[in-house]
Amino acid sequence: MGNWNTTCACTRSKLKRKQMDSMDHNTHHEGIKTLKVNKVCNFSGNSDLCICVVTWNMNGQVVYEDLVELVGSNSKCDLLVVGLQEVPRKNIAPLLQTALADTHVLLGKAIMQSLQLYVDKHSVGGCGGLIGRKKGAVAIRMSYNGIRMVFISCHLSAHARNVEERNSQCRHISHSLFSKHRNPYSKPAQVTVWLGDLNYRIQGIKTHPVRNLIQKNLHRLLTGKDQLLQEAERGQVFDGYCEGTLTFKPTYKYDVGSSNYDTSYKVRVPSWTDRILFKIQDMEEIRASLHSYESVDDIHSSDHKPVKAHLCLKVNEQP
């Protein structure tokens, strides 16, 4: 679950680590803003950019039919962003391109061993990208239709107890990518999208009560036990980001080949480990509308279910 390699990480002094991990507890924190999905485009079909975002921990397995199921329904999106974790030692790019041959072409990719990120564009147009590799994450920075964006795919530390370790990794990734000291000449991104196996768990409740609520389709009652939302509320991570409502069932851990939660001796607590979040730098400059946020339950080749989001952007006209 947590097999990502840290040898590509930039070293930091103890002083820098203390500075990054220290928080001002008197500061007001926005936390993560939960958004309802709008089935109908708020921009009446006049979006400047429609993005489909997919994240999936593959558990070291690849089935071509699953990739087709995962990306084949996104043909109308301008950009398709696919973040994969625990990818097998096989070149996934040709498989993705084959699955999308009639609609999209590969625009950019960032790979760090089993952690991979792909961006495919629907039509030919002017755009450029900068690929970065950071601790526990890969990222692509690009401009499309005049909108500056960063897509970050990450795989954070596993196990329910490692909350602060995950928090620290998020802060380090963010600092590495967005620090003016590291990127003095780059303009800030107008849109930032994080996706991946963030590995935050449901805590404070045992596995069987969790499963009972899921079986009764009452999993919405579990969001208050979600570590990611709790840590964001505390101002530790993802302050000011947005996420769709967690209406889908927790995406981990399943028995491979089924839709049954873990029946091993560990009987892990089902959790929403796989997430997609986004942040608009200036809402007066760019508006966003979320049209879907869901898991793909028909894929059974991994112990994770993939998660997909459909995000549309509109640039406001300047006076």
Side-chain angles (χ1 to χ4, degrees):
M1 176 75 181
N3 297 327
W4 52 270
N5 193 297
T6 61
T7 57
C8 293
C10 300
T11 58
R12 296 181 295 166
S13 67
K14 291 183 179 179
L15 176 61
K16 286 185 178 179
R17 185 177 293 110
K18 288 181 180 179
Q19 289 173 340
M20 289 179 62
D21 290 345
S22 64
M23 300 294 296
D24 181 3
H25 296 288
N26 294 320
T27 302
H28 171 72
H29 304 297
E30 297 180 57
I32 293 174
K33 182 181 179 182
T34 300
L35 299 181
K36 290 184 178 180
V37 168
N38 296 314
K39 296 294 185 181
V40 179
C41 181
N42 288 347
F43 312 130
S44 301
N46 294 320
S47 301
D48 290 307
L49 181 60
C50 282
I51 309 170
C52 289
V53 184
V54 178
T55 180
W56 185 26
N57 183 316
M58 301 180 72
N59 192 34
Q61 305 294 324
V62 58
V63 177
Y64 175 71
E65 289 75 15
D66 287 346
L67 289 176
V68 174
E69 172 77 17
L70 192 62
V71 303
S73 61
N74 301 303
S75 59
K76 294 183 179 179
C77 291
D78 299 308
L79 288 180
L80 172 61
V81 180
V82 181
L84 302 173
Q85 307 86 45
E86 295 193 19
V87 179
R89 293 186 177 181
K90 186 172 183 177
N91 191 352
I92 299 297
L95 296 179
L96 281 174
Q97 189 60 76
T98 300
L100 293 164
D102 295 334
T103 59
H104 290 67
V105 295
L106 183 65
L107 175 64
K109 61 182 179 180
I111 298 175
M112 185 174 69
Q113 297 191 11
S114 66
L115 184 62
Q116 303 185 10
L117 176 64
Y118 299 89
V119 176
D120 297 80
K121 66 186 178 72
H122 182 270
S123 57
V124 177
C127 47
L130 172 66
I131 296 175
R133 305 183 182 189
K134 302 300 175 185
K135 180 181 180 182
V138 288
I140 292 178
R141 184 189 300 268
M142 62 175 294
S143 178
Y144 192 96
N145 284 359
I147 302 175
R148 299 186 304 277
M149 297 171 288
V150 173
F151 300 100
I152 306 161
S153 177
C154 64
H155 190 183
L156 305 181
S157 289
H159 307 303
R161 64 181 179 273
N162 290 328
V163 178
E164 183 47 46
E165 187 172 340
R166 287 189 282 275
N167 292 348
S168 181
Q169 289 165 0
C170 283
R171 292 191 291 263
H172 175 55
I173 293 166
S174 182
H175 178 76
S176 298
L177 290 173
F178 302 121
S179 170
K180 280 292 185 182
H181 175 70
R182 294 180 185 272
N183 300 288
Y185 303 110
S186 64
K187 291 183 178 180
Q190 297 166 295
V191 180
T192 303
V193 179
W194 282 70
L195 56 145
D197 180 359
L198 304 188
N199 251 325
Y200 287 92
R201 308 301 176 91
I202 290 174
Q203 67 175 9
I205 181 172
K206 294 185 180 298
T207 187
H208 293 299
V210 169
R211 293 173 188 225
N212 287 337
L213 287 172
I214 295 171
Q215 189 173 18
K216 296 175 182 177
N217 203 30
L218 294 174
H219 42 275
R220 66 182 184 280
L221 301 178
L222 296 169
T223 57
K225 302 292 186 180
D226 179 69
Q227 289 178 340
L228 177 57
L229 296 179
Q230 291 175 345
E231 294 305 300
E233 187 70 23
R234 293 176 55 224
Q236 299 297 303
V237 290
F238 295 111
D239 194 39
Y241 275 75
C242 299
E243 182 184 26
T245 305
L246 293 170
T247 58
F248 52 89
K249 295 185 295 185
T251 55
Y252 175 83
K253 175 181 172 117
Y254 287 87
D255 290 338
V256 175
S258 77
S259 287
N260 300 321
Y261 285 112
D262 184 22
T263 58
S264 73
Y265 72 95
K266 294 183 178 180
V267 287
R268 293 173 180 84
V269 178
S271 297
W272 287 290
T273 56
D274 310 276
R275 311 289 277 268
I276 299 170
L277 304 99
F278 69 92
K279 186 174 186 177
I280 308 299
Q281 189 66 28
D282 186 351
M283 288 290 192
E284 294 184 359
E285 188 177 24
I286 295 176
R287 290 179 292 158
S289 179
L290 185 65
H291 298 301
S292 70
Y293 189 44
E294 58 192 1
S295 60
V296 185
D297 296 336
D298 293 335
I299 290 179
H300 304 106
S301 57
S302 172
D303 54 357
H304 290 253
K305 298 298 184 186
V307 173
K308 301 170 69 172
H310 180 187
L311 179 67
C312 286
L313 305 175
K314 179 72 175 176
V315 179
N316 293 330
E317 294 183 4
Q318 300 298 320

